[in-house]
Amino acid sequence: MIAFGQFLEVLVSGLLAGVLYSLVALGFVLIFKASGVFNFAQGAMVLLAGLALVRSLDFMVAKGLPFWAAIIIALLFAALIMAITAWLVERFVLGPLINQDGLTLFMSTIGVTFMIEGGAQMLFGSDVYPLRLFPSDAWFLFESSFPGGILVSKIDVWGGMIAAVLVVGLALFFQKTKTGRALRAVADDHAAAQSVGISLNWIWFIVWLVAGLVALVAATVWGTKLGVQFSITFLALKALPVLIIGGFTSVPGAIVGGLIIGAGEKIAEAYLGPFIGGGIEYWFAYVLALVVLMARPQGLFGERIIERI
Amino acid sequence: MRAPDGPPVTAGDVLLSIDNVSLSFGGVKAVSGVSFDIRKGEIRAIIGPNGAGKTSMLNIINGFYHPQEGVITYKGEARAKMRPHDAADGGIARTFQNVALFRGMTALDNIMAGRTLKMRRNMFWQMLRVGPALAEEVEHRHRVEEIIDFLKIQEIRRTPVSRLPYGLQKRVELGRALAMEPELLLLDEPMAGMNIEEKEDMSRFILDVNDHYGTTIALIEHDMGVVMDLSDRVVVLDHGIKIADGTPNEVKSNQAVIDAYLGVAH
Amino acid sequence: MFYRETGQFKSSYAADMAIFPIRQDRIALWVVLAAAFVAVPLLDFFQVWPFGGEYILRAILIPFLILSLAAIGLNILTGYCGQLSLGSGAFMAIGAYSTYKFCTGVHIPLELFTISIPPLPVLPSILLGALMSAFVGILFGIPSLRIKGLYLAVATLAAQFFFDWVFIRVKWFTNYTSSGSVAAPDLVFFGFTVTTPIHRYLLCLVFVSIFALLAKNLVRGNIGRQWMATRDMDIAAELMGIRPLYAKLSAFALSSFVMGVAGALWAFVYLGAWEPLAFNIDRSFQILFMVIIGGLGSILGSFLGAAFILVLPILLDQVPHALGVPVSVETVSLLVFVVTGALICWLLIVEPRGFARLWSTGKEKLRLWPYPY
């Protein structure tokens, strides 16, 4: 039973790590759904949110504020930063680029990525900053069934729970609020939405704000796990293969895609790694996405595209 | 010119025949059980109300859509499933309902691109651009300049097509199709959105192409006056079904056609 | 006033289709070439450099030439054929490491027979190395036949990360050096050993001039029109008889070939000794930015973009110093991020075709000056 216990442990840790990818992928999906922009900057936004959070938190703790108050103020501060970013991006980049083709918009978000990465580190510093919001030790489960039990890290479980809350929250937001319904209307048809009096600029600001808040949530989990640092943006790139597998427009797809990628790469590392040299986690997600694309160009959950001319 | 498949087709013979062709997307029938033919040298109009399946029909003819049922016989050979560029090889050229020019290129380059299939020098020679490669470019440039003269677009040849007005874009698109020296030319609403003068110009070009080069033309058009004047025979589609086929006069007096256009009280 | 074509008549289509149909442009080209091939060596010979020593050659001109070459490679693929690639670094790395293997000898013992190639001279090694890069380029180009745009960008990311890993983990490529770092052998061309910066510079200049000319010929010929047609409207292109397979894969092959040469030069001529980090995703983005800033679909733009991206950090470093504002090295590197990003966005908004288009718009204005029309 040792082998199976190990497998379970790898699987669980992979699934939970996948949730973290899903958290970033969610931000992509939100923006893509509402504006058709493939936002390469989502990873940079996680970095920005994380830096704003951890630096203001450290500052206020150093000033002697109680920890709970400091956390609340720091979260509000980071949210404010994300709101300012959303406004700047909408006002100065996406607003003027309205009606451009997808590739141009995508390249402009690469530009935004570099601005955010440079700006965030200039404002808040470019070291590794540890964040302590969640417990980071581990549980040992099923010690009776498997020798040594299955190691499950608490932070990963926290991440999973937060992701669940977030998905429910977003679903409610889209279904129950006026703004949420307007967002869905815009996603379906820009022109039609405008003609019934929905302001595109306002909607785009809102959607970047929501994506920024999702980035903040992702930053709390990732920051606790790895410390807030520049390399977070590279991990966030893995949200791209997640989207390929899950589809660009599906919130459940982002979650499932994240789980597949997370579990897949951990299992591949554990069982394939010893044969072809370690570290295959580095590329496995991308190659898996490539294989999926070759088999199904529209992704696992995408609809078949009928081309017209 | 090279005739890649089948024996040469002379004027009046059937160039292309559509037999009982059906096409559907998912559950939606775009074309069902349509049959008609196009004869060598004629101008054949395909008309019908919006959503009648006219563009789908053109897409089937040049291999962009693959019908689920039916047979298409082109130059005496029944066609299996093929790629769009096979149709181009066989001498079928095409213009589009919404102008599909290469927007980043000049008018000249757009039309030169139509010569792709006729150019034989490989990449190595093109890279050096000396001797035979240069001679080939010059030779095809001559042919393209003839088309430019024919369509009277000399002064815009260096203009990126995205800057041209709509009517001229349509003309460049026709030029690009002509550069392929097609045997069968498919025109999808060549006069949509044009004013009277532009329509007259375009009609003249279409008739000239037909006269001059003997090109067989199949066209979709909404302007009935134009259709009646230009075409030799007309096929009428409605909701993916053929409802009439014949000379312009026959079709004009056909009750089913009148009903389809004006609506009928049920 | 001086820049106009009045009185210059073309009597043949061949003359009309020259690279620079306008005489003033031709003169400008010769001046640039003369400066590059004659003036720079003379300046070096007499040791008259604005910054003293070899700084300009080593830190600016050589990297400028090599990265321009890489940018030409990416421009063929992204600018002309419209296939976005985020994996340029991988193809440069393949060029560099394959060249290294061919230079030092290839020995692959297989079950039935052994592939064994003795060490080759540098020039054939570079060309063979670039061929390997082209081959891999075709492999990773195959998905482009089924997927488009952003999906393809992720496929090229797969190439980037996969080959990063390969050259770190597969020790065979580095001839089992303990550090993973690799040193280039002597640069011997036809019995002449290239060592001094000025010789290295001239070597790069020859490569870049030849490839720029060949690339220019390709993009204004039949295959170039096929690429642009595929980029602008792939369905219409296919209905006109342009084979997507041929158009896209030839762009991938040529683009990776050129990037392979650039990678080999970067490793052998510029760096001398290198590790896989030299070709990571930052390199890919650097080259992509050169192409966007310089101009998608312009050979001239590749040079402009490379020049800009190289000069920007130097400017951001020197200007505050000159103004008496001390700026730390780290701040400069972050500032480069911000300015590059902002510039990309700004260019995409005002002039999606980059500096090259601004340049040609300027020329158009100049032709008419002093009249507005």
Side-chain angles (χ1 to χ4, degrees):
Chain A
M1 284 309 270
I2 294 175
F4 184 65
Q6 258 180 353
F7 175 77
L8 266 188
E9 188 174 305
V10 168
L11 182 69
V12 169
S13 82
L15 287 174
L16 290 170
V19 172
L20 296 188
Y21 298 142
S22 303
L23 276 179
V24 182
L26 265 182
F28 279 95
V29 168
L30 286 176
I31 292 184
F32 190 82
K33 256 176 101 99
S35 59
V37 175
F38 191 90
N39 177 27
F40 193 77
Q42 190 65 31
M45 282 161 63
V46 176
L47 175 69
L48 173 63
L51 281 174
L53 178 71
V54 71
R55 296 295 279 164
S56 58
L57 186 64
D58 289 354
F59 177 80
M60 279 179 294
V61 169
K63 287 277 177 199
L65 252 77
F67 192 67
W68 62 268
I71 285 183
I72 292 174
I73 299 176
L75 281 172
L76 288 175
F77 173 73
L80 176 71
I81 292 282
M82 298 321 288
I84 295 173
T85 310
W87 182 78
L88 288 173
V89 167
E90 197 289 316
R91 177 73 183 73
F92 292 106
V93 183
L94 291 177
L97 280 172
I98 207 162
N99 290 335
Q100 296 282 350
D101 63 297
L103 223 51
T104 306
L105 291 169
F106 174 64
M107 289 192 291
S108 77
T109 65
I110 297 182
V112 171
T113 306
F114 273 66
M115 279 194 280
I116 293 180
E117 284 175 4
Q121 294 182 76
M122 272 163 78
L123 275 176
F124 300 113
S126 49
D127 289 324
V128 181
Y129 304 101
L131 184 64
R132 293 263 164 272
L133 289 185
F134 307 109
S136 54
D137 51 335
W139 285 303
F140 292 90
L141 304 176
F142 304 114
E143 277 180 277
S144 51
S145 321
F146 306 114
I150 297 173
L151 181 144
V152 176
S153 115
K154 285 184 186 166
I155 168 71
D156 286 345
V157 175
W158 269 99
M161 291 190 311
I162 288 175
V165 171
L166 198 64
V167 169
V168 172
L170 285 173
L172 287 176
F173 171 69
F174 275 111
Q175 300 295 338
K176 301 289 178 194
T177 66
K178 199 173 165 222
T179 315
R181 282 196 296 267
L183 276 172
R184 286 193 303 162
V186 170
D188 281 346
D189 190 332
H190 287 185
Q194 266 179 310
S195 70
V196 296
I198 297 170
S199 154
L200 267 192
N201 295 20
W202 171 246
I203 287 298
W204 284 18
F205 165 70
I206 290 291
V207 84
W208 276 75
L209 175 62
V210 174
L213 297 180
V214 171
L216 176 57
V217 172
T220 60
V221 184
W222 285 47
T224 307
K225 192 168 180 175
L226 309 161
V228 177
Q229 55 174 320
F230 182 69
S231 64
I232 277 186
T233 57
F234 283 104
L235 283 169
L237 270 185
K238 285 213 181 127
L240 293 175
V242 168
L243 290 167
I244 294 279
I245 289 178
F248 285 173
T249 54
S250 155
V251 169
I255 302 292
V256 176
L259 296 180
I260 292 176
I261 292 277
E265 68 180 12
K266 282 283 190 300
I267 289 171
E269 182 70 58
Y271 292 94
L272 219 58
F275 298 104
I276 59 172
I280 62 177
E281 265 179 279
Y282 189 66
W283 52 263
F284 182 81
Y286 300 93
V287 175
L288 183 65
L290 190 59
V291 172
V292 168
L293 276 181
M294 289 302 281
R296 269 180 75 86
Q298 66 274 31
L300 281 186
F301 301 99
E303 281 174 26
R304 214 194 125 129
I305 310 145
I306 297 170
E307 288 188 288
R308 296 175 175 284
I309 191 149
Chain B
M1 217 172 67
R2 185 171 69 98
D5 33 39
V9 185
T10 51
D13 292 353
V14 171
L15 179 66
L16 176 106
S17 76
I18 311 276
D19 262 320
N20 205 17
V21 161
S22 299
L23 171 76
S24 56
F25 299 107
V28 186
K29 283 237 164 194
V31 173
S32 36
V34 170
S35 309
F36 66 95
D37 59 18
I38 299 174
R39 291 188 199 138
K40 179 81 188 161
E42 74 174 342
I43 297 181
R44 182 75 144 132
I46 302 171
I47 63 169
N50 285 328
K54 301 174 303 254
T55 299
S56 295
M57 203 64 239
L58 286 200
N59 284 338
I60 289 170
I61 293 178
N62 69 356
F64 185 57
Y65 289 162
H66 308 293
Q68 282 84 7
E69 288 168 38
V71 183
I72 299 159
T73 315
Y74 178 60
K75 287 195 220 167
E77 274 187 28
R79 237 163 41 178
K81 181 172 175 170
M82 62 168 185
R83 301 290 305 161
H85 54 73
D86 296 326
D89 283 343
I92 301 179
R94 164 87 186 266
T95 70
F96 303 89
Q97 191 173 357
N98 311 307
V99 179
L101 283 170
F102 306 129
R103 297 182 65 78
M105 299 159 74
T106 62
L108 178 66
D109 277 343
N110 264 280
I111 304 177
M112 282 294 277
R115 302 293 299 177
T116 300
L117 277 179
K118 313 267 175 219
M119 297 183 80
R120 292 274 165 266
R121 292 296 153 199
N122 62 22
M123 225 186 294
F124 176 74
W125 279 108
Q126 288 178 46
M127 216 184 279
L128 299 180
R129 208 181 168 92
V130 290
L134 186 59
E136 186 180 48
E137 279 278 318
V138 173
E139 177 204 328
H140 287 280
R141 176 72 189 274
H142 271 287
R143 307 298 297 271
V144 166
E145 288 293 335
E146 280 168 26
I147 292 168
I148 288 176
D149 287 346
F150 173 73
L151 293 172
K152 304 192 176 64
I153 47 176
Q154 292 92 339
E155 63 279 11
I156 56 147
R157 56 161 91 77
R158 297 270 180 211
T159 315
V161 288
S162 55
R163 284 198 224 152
L164 294 175
Y166 185 71
L168 281 176
Q169 292 195 5
K170 284 255 174 196
R171 226 188 272 187
V172 173
E173 203 187 21
L174 177 63
R176 187 180 67 184
L178 288 179
M180 293 168 67
E181 294 177 15
E183 280 182 71
L184 175 59
L185 178 59
L186 310 175
L187 304 174
D188 196 347
E189 301 197 21
M191 281 161 247
M194 286 186 167
N195 62 30
I196 285 287
E197 282 166 45
E198 288 172 325
K199 280 186 183 178
E200 281 173 358
D201 281 347
M202 187 53 90
S203 306
R204 177 86 348 243
F205 291 134
I206 291 172
L207 284 174
D208 278 353
V209 169
N210 184 244
D211 267 6
H212 228 80
Y213 303 104
T215 310
T216 312
I217 294 173
L219 73 111
I220 294 175
E221 186 48 58
H222 277 297
D223 185 323
M224 279 309 129
V226 170
V227 170
M228 296 302 150
D229 287 348
L230 287 184
S231 50
D232 299 312
R233 290 192 303 154
V234 182
V235 57
V236 190
L237 302 181
D238 187 23
H239 293 109
I241 298 164
K242 184 172 96 167
I243 57 172
D245 190 352
T247 64
N249 280 327
E250 287 166 19
V251 165
K252 205 158 38 173
S253 50
N254 184 312
Q255 191 55 43
V257 177
I258 297 168
D259 289 348
Y261 271 87
L262 299 179
V264 63
H266 289 290
Chain C
M1 181 90 95
F2 301 104
Y3 182 79
R4 57 179 50 162
E5 57 203 275
T6 327
Q8 301 175 29
F9 298 110
K10 314 288 186 309
S11 52
S12 71
Y13 288 131
D16 191 43
M17 296 187 310
I19 299 185
F20 295 106
I22 299 176
R23 189 189 302 138
Q24 286 84 340
D25 282 341
R26 282 197 296 277
I27 295 169
L29 175 72
W30 286 116
V31 169
V32 169
L33 283 179
F37 276 99
V38 182
V40 169
L42 281 179
L43 282 178
D44 181 72
F45 184 76
F46 293 110
Q47 290 294 309
V48 261
W49 285 108
F51 289 80
E54 294 157 344
Y55 176 77
I56 286 228
L57 280 180
R58 266 188 202 287
I60 300 182
L61 288 178
I62 293 178
F64 160 69
L65 287 172
I66 301 174
L67 292 179
S68 301
L69 187 61
I72 289 175
L74 182 62
N75 221 330
I76 290 178
L77 185 63
T78 304
Y80 286 96
C81 199
Q83 312 296 309
L84 181 61
S85 165
L86 301 176
S88 317
F91 296 108
M92 287 178 77
I94 294 165
Y97 282 97
S98 316
T99 304
Y100 175 73
K101 284 309 282 185
F102 282 116
C103 261
T104 53
V106 179
H107 185 79
I108 309 171
L110 295 176
E111 294 269 321
L112 295 175
F113 58 96
T114 299
I115 299 176
S116 199
I117 305 173
L120 296 173
V122 178
L123 184 61
S125 298
I126 291 181
L127 296 179
L128 282 172
L131 269 184
M132 298 304 291
S133 175
F135 175 71
V136 178
I138 291 176
L139 276 186
F140 275 86
I142 291 172
S144 76
L145 301 173
R146 296 202 60 183
I147 58 182
K148 288 175 186 173
L150 304 166
Y151 288 90
L152 184 69
V154 175
T156 57
L157 267 185
Q160 178 69 51
F161 287 115
F162 181 69
F163 283 101
D164 273 0
W165 176 85
V166 163
F167 294 126
I168 292 171
R169 294 288 173 151
V170 185
K171 299 292 182 195
W172 182 80
F173 284 101
T174 51
N175 285 354
Y176 304 96
T177 56
S178 53
S179 64
S181 165
V182 167
D186 283 346
L187 297 169
V188 183
F189 286 87
F190 307 109
F192 180 81
T193 310
V194 175
T195 47
T196 61
I198 189 69
H199 289 151
R200 286 167 187 264
Y201 159 81
L202 285 171
L203 175 71
C204 294
L205 185 62
V206 170
F207 267 102
V208 173
S209 308
I210 293 174
F211 277 102
L213 176 69
L214 297 182
K216 183 75 191 171
N217 282 342
L218 279 177
V219 299
R220 66 205 178 103
N222 188 22
I223 185 74
R225 285 189 294 267
Q226 295 191 27
W227 291 338
M228 290 187 278
T230 308
R231 170 196 70 190
D232 287 345
M233 185 82 51
D234 53 349
I235 297 171
E238 195 177 351
L239 292 177
M240 289 173 47
I242 291 170
R243 281 154 180 71
L245 178 89
Y246 177 74
K248 285 181 179 170
L249 292 190
S250 65
F252 267 99
L254 279 163
S255 155
S256 342
F257 186 92
V258 174
M259 286 197 272
V261 173
L265 291 178
W266 187 255
F268 276 57
V269 182
Y270 175 62
L271 294 174
W274 74 95
E275 23 196 306
L277 215 59
F279 300 106
N280 68 3
I281 190 163
D282 291 336
R283 180 77 53 217
S284 301
F285 276 117
Q286 187 188 31
I287 292 164
L288 179 66
F289 287 172
M290 289 175 180
V291 172
I292 298 177
I293 288 178
L296 287 161
S298 160
I299 300 290
L300 171 71
S302 310
F303 287 97
L304 297 179
F308 183 85
I309 292 282
L310 273 173
V311 169
L312 182 68
I314 298 169
L315 271 184
L316 289 178
D317 187 38
Q318 302 281 335
V319 171
H321 269 292
L323 295 174
V325 188
V327 179
S328 72
V329 179
E330 200 196 331
T331 313
V332 168
S333 69
L334 293 175
L335 209 55
V336 169
F337 265 58
V338 176
V339 174
T340 320
L343 196 77
I344 298 259
C345 294
W346 179 74
L347 271 175
L348 286 171
I349 293 165
V350 281
E351 188 43 88
R353 291 298 190 81
F355 283 169
R357 179 54 64 86
L358 290 178
W359 173 256
S360 63
T361 318
K363 283 205 303 188
E364 227 168 88
K365 291 246 165 69
L366 202 59
R367 253 166 66 188
L368 305 167
W369 190 83
Y371 307 106
Y373 296 105

